[in-house]
Amino acid sequence: MPAPTQRERAALHLHALVVAASLGGCGEAAPEAADGSGSTIPTVSEATGDTPTSGDSSSDSSSSGSSDGDTTGGLTDCESIQAALQDVADAHVEAGVVGLVLAARTPQCPPIAVASGVAELASEAPLTVDHRLRIGSVTKTVTAALLLRLQEDGLVDLDAPISDYVDTPVPKADEISVRQLLNHTSGIANYLNSPNFFDIADGVRVWEPAELVQLGVDLGPVFDPGQGWEYSNTNYIIAGLIAEAVTGQTFGQAVRATILDPAGLDETYFDGEETVEGELAHGYIPGEDLTFSHHPSAAWAAGAMVMTVGDLAAWTDALLRGPLLSDASKEEMLDVVATGNPETPYYGLGVEMPSLDVGAVVGHGGLFPGYTAAMGLRVDSDDVVVAISNTFGYFYQWDAVKYGLLALDEARSS
C-alpha cells in the first residue's frame, strides 16, 4: 500500500484535530435530482432588514458582540461560537496551513470573524481578519449576480444566444445561451486545460479576455450545447465580455456600480483593474510564495476578485438573503443542474451545492495560486460560514466551511 501523500496526511491530521466538532449534529443531505434536468434547492429565507455590517476586529479575531441568548459556562452563545470557530482556524494551521480566516453570520449573533497563522512567512506577521486575500472562483458568484441584475434591467436575456451580444470564435455561438455559460452546460472547453496557458502565464504577463477565450476554443468543444456539464472558466470570461458589451463599461466598473457598491462591499476589489487597498496576505504552496506568480488578468471575470473575510461573509448574506437580487432572479440562480461530480453534485448560476454531510449548503469554492476559498449558506439553519486561506492545494476547499458549520452545531449544543 503506498504511503499517504502530504495532502492526505494533512487531511487526516485535520480530521483528528476537529473530531470534537464533527460530533455535532448534522442536517439532511443535499437533495437528489431524479434526472439530469434542473432541480431547485430548498428555498433560502430572505432577510427582512438591511444587511448588517461587519464590526471592528482585532489582530486575531473580530469581537462577537453581546447576545441576549442563554449562557453556558459563563460564555454567551455568540462567544461560544466564536471560540469554536477559532478552534477550527487554529486546527487548520496546526495541520500545516500557513494561515486561515473564517467568518460566520448566524441568525442569533452579530458578524463573527477569526484568524490564525501568518500573512507572510518571511516576516511571520500574523494573519488578521483585515487582510485582503484572493478568492479565485468565488468570483463567479459576483459575475453571475451581475448578469442576473443586467437581465432585471432589460439589458440581457439569459436564454438568448451569446452571439446576440459578443462576437467570439466559439463554435455554435448562436446555439449557446448566456444561461449555459453561467451553469457550465455550454460545452466550451476550459482554457486552463490548455498547455499554452501555463507555458506563457506568469506574474507579469497581462492577458486580454479574448486571448483566454481563444485558448478554450482551440481545445475544441467538450460536448454540444446543453448536452452535458463541465466546469469551464472560459464560460465566465465570455460572461464578463457580455457584461462589458451591454453596459458600455469595463467589467470592473460594471461590477463596482451594480454589485459591490449596492452591497456595501468596501473591502472588495476586482484585481487587475482596481487597486487593492490595504494589505494583501501572501499566498503559498508549501515552500513557495505564489502571491504574484500569475497576473489577475489570467482569471479576470472567472476568478480575479480580492476580499476580506468579513466582506466575503457579507457578500454571501447579500447574495442569498438580501435584496440585491429579485426573488425571481434568486430562483433562476438556484435552479440547479446535475454535475456528475459527487463532491459538488449540483450547480446553478454561479453557485454550487457541495456534498458536506452538514445539511444542504449553497455557495461556491475558489482556488487561485497561493489561495483557497469557499463561501456557504446552510439552507435549513440560515448559517453563513466562509473561509479563505493563503495556502493552495493543501486541503479541500470546502473543509473549513464544513468544520465551521459543525463547530456552530457543537457550540449550540454544549
Side-chain angles (χ1 to χ4, degrees), residues 133-136 139 142 255 260 268-271 303-307:
L133 298 101
R134 304 189 192 281
I135 63 169
T139 300
V142 178
V255 164
L260 304 185
T268 298
Y269 309 92
F270 183 56
D271 197 14
M305 301 295 291
V306 170
M307 285 188 175

Side-chain angles (χ1 to χ4, degrees), residues 28-31 39-45 334 353 360-362 377 379-380:
E28 297 177 354
S39 173
T40 305
I41 69 169
T43 303
V44 178
S45 65
L334 298 174
M353 290 188 67
V361 174
V362 60
L377 179 141
V379 176
D380 59 0

Side-chain angles (χ1 to χ4, degrees), residues 127-202:
L127 182 66
T128 76
V129 298
D130 294 321
H131 274 99
R132 281 63 170 149
L133 298 101
R134 304 189 192 281
I135 63 169
S137 285
V138 179
T139 300
K140 291 179 175 66
T141 63
V142 178
T143 302
L146 174 60
L147 269 294
L148 284 162
R149 280 290 304 271
L150 294 177
Q151 178 174 250
E152 291 178 16
D153 293 340
L155 297 178
V156 172
D157 179 354
L158 295 190
D159 293 313
I162 62 174
S163 58
D164 282 5
Y165 304 106
V166 289
D167 183 18
T168 71
V170 174
K172 299 185 178 180
D174 58 343
E175 300 177 24
I176 298 172
S177 69
V178 179
R179 187 182 308 276
Q180 288 170 335
L181 295 178
L182 300 182
N183 67 13
H184 296 297
T185 60
S186 70
I188 303 170
N190 188 351
Y191 69 85
L192 289 183
N193 292 333
S194 171
N196 294 329
F197 174 78
F198 289 102
D199 287 345
I200 300 172
D202 58 32

